[in-house]
Amino acid sequence: MNIKLTVEYDGTNYHGWQVQHSGETIQLVLEKAISTFVGQPTRITGAGRTDAGVHALGQVANFFCPKEFDQHRIRRAFNALTPADITIKEVEIVPDSFDARRDGRSRVYEYRILNRPAPSPFYLTTALHVHDSLDLEAMRMAVRCLEGEHDFSSFQAAGCDAAHAVRKVYRTSLDQRGELLVYTIEATAFLRHMVRNIVGTLIEVGRGLHSPQSFAELLEARDRTKAGPTAPAHGLFLVEVKYQ
């Protein structure tokens, strides 16, 4: 049985998704739970790698189970075997050909900003606090240039192992949800720290340090040194992985 999992997690206490030589990761915790349940070592394939401190509302993974189990039983068992900050939302039996990473057609990320004078204890690990007022209209104008296919070298972190920096962005927006500003971007795939580097630069637009025009120019420059700082990981969420 090829089992597809939709996973929700708070990444605060983890060293990202991917198994590492040191530090606990989401993948490691899930593989331990799955291996315990099926009775043998089991590896899983994730749709994408989230960094340390990044959260997920809809991470997707799959694994091959040597026995047949009811999917509702699998979900109950896995949630009993994982800590409270990792939840299996959905379990599906899928064709053997399904691969969570290879078959993903787009990924949707959100970055959340608490934009008010005082911080909040309720958003300490789930939103970036920006105390000064931001120019939302300028920020909205700036991100329009990101839609379509571009070379995102200006927003690519050092050490990124991608073969190239060209990515296709399907949609990008900045919305206000109560006290939160939520930046949303959907693309075929993402470079290392790409969303966080976009947000760090976008905040500078909101502060008047860049104009929407200069934001577009730095995208075309393909030079990371011209863009803004990397926004902290804790405001970032992997919202959804879309499949055809």
Side-chain angles (χ1 to χ4, degrees), residues 17-137:
W17 166 266
Q18 192 172 21
V19 171
Q20 302 175 16
H21 294 298
S22 61
E24 193 166 57
T25 67
I26 306 295
Q27 183 182 9
L28 179 63
V29 170
L30 289 174
E31 288 183 349
K32 285 180 178 179
I34 294 167
S35 299
T36 298
F37 178 74
V38 303
Q40 66 181 53
T42 304
R43 297 300 304 270
I44 63 174
T45 298
R49 294 174 291 181
T50 52
D51 294 330
V54 175
H55 316 293
L57 302 176
Q59 172 70 283
V60 176
N62 75 289
F63 71 96
F64 285 89
C65 185
K67 306 173 185 177
E68 290 193 7
F69 293 102
D70 176 80
Q71 58 201 58
H72 301 294
R73 181 186 173 191
I74 294 174
R75 184 175 63 182
R76 289 195 301 271
F78 287 0
N79 283 329
L81 291 166
T82 53
D85 52 7
I86 301 176
T87 295
I88 309 301
K89 293 170 64 177
E90 297 178 18
V91 175
E92 300 174 61
I93 299 171
V94 292
D96 288 352
S97 59
F98 176 81
D99 182 282
R101 184 175 182 83
R102 186 184 63 240
D103 294 344
R105 292 296 174 258
S106 69
R107 281 84 174 159
V108 181
Y109 278 90
E110 285 183 356
Y111 196 97
R112 301 179 180 182
I113 301 168
L114 178 65
N115 187 209
R116 70 179 197 183
S120 167
F122 302 109
Y123 293 114
L124 286 177
T125 61
T126 57
L128 171 64
H129 174 233
V130 177
H131 70 274
D132 42 339
S133 180
L134 298 174
D135 185 341
L136 303 190
E137 188 53 37

Side-chain angles (χ1 to χ4, degrees), residues 157-242:
C160 181
D161 58 5
H164 58 81
V166 176
R167 296 292 185 269
K168 185 174 183 178
V169 172
Y170 294 113
R171 62 187 175 100
T172 179
S173 64
L174 181 69
D175 302 301
Q176 190 147 21
R177 301 179 190 170
E179 294 183 313
L180 292 179
L181 303 180
V182 181
Y183 173 66
T184 303
I185 182 169
E186 178 181 354
T188 49
F190 291 85
L191 303 167
R192 185 170 186 240
H193 296 174
M194 176 174 156
V195 181
R196 292 165 59 191
N197 291 335
I198 289 172
V199 170
T201 311
L202 197 58
I203 290 171
E204 291 194 338
V205 173
R207 286 172 167 158
L209 301 176
H210 285 290
S211 68
Q213 178 62 32
S214 66
F215 184 90
E217 289 170 355
L218 70 87
L219 171 66
E220 295 301 322
R222 304 177 185 178
D223 183 350
R224 176 67 188 96
T225 65
K226 296 184 181 300
T230 304
H234 67 271
L236 185 60
F237 290 75
L238 172 57
V239 176
E240 182 182 5
V241 182
K242 294 185 178 181

